[in-house]
Amino acid sequence: MGGRRKRRHVEWLLQRYFLIVWKQLVVLREQLLLVRKQFVVLQQFLLTGATT
């Protein structure tokens, strides 16, 4: 019976770890989207700067 309880604890730890990693991935994705937006703005600025 003790072994089953330990396995449940391991599953709980894995779920917690997965949630932490998932949150970090979501934050990272948002940061990447922001960087991409800034890059697009910068690209447009450079293009308009080069044409004028």
Side-chain angles (χ1 to χ4, degrees), residues 30-47:
E30 284 176 4
Q31 285 179 340
L32 280 171
L33 284 172
L34 276 172
V35 169
R36 210 182 69 185
K37 274 185 193 172
Q38 287 178 341
F39 183 72
V40 167
V41 169
L42 183 71
Q43 216 174 17
Q44 287 176 341
F45 176 73
L46 287 172
L47 284 170

Side-chain angles (χ1 to χ4, degrees), residues 10-52:
V10 169
E11 284 175 5
W12 179 77
L13 280 174
L14 282 171
Q15 278 184 327
R16 261 188 77 122
Y17 179 72
F18 181 75
L19 274 173
I20 290 165
V21 171
W22 182 253
K23 281 180 187 174
Q24 285 179 340
L25 281 173
V26 169
V27 169
L28 187 69
R29 210 194 81 201
E30 284 176 4
Q31 285 179 340
L32 280 171
L33 284 172
L34 276 172
V35 169
R36 210 182 69 185
K37 274 185 193 172
Q38 287 178 341
F39 183 72
V40 167
V41 169
L42 183 71
Q43 216 174 17
Q44 287 176 341
F45 176 73
L46 287 172
L47 284 170
T48 52
T51 49
T52 52

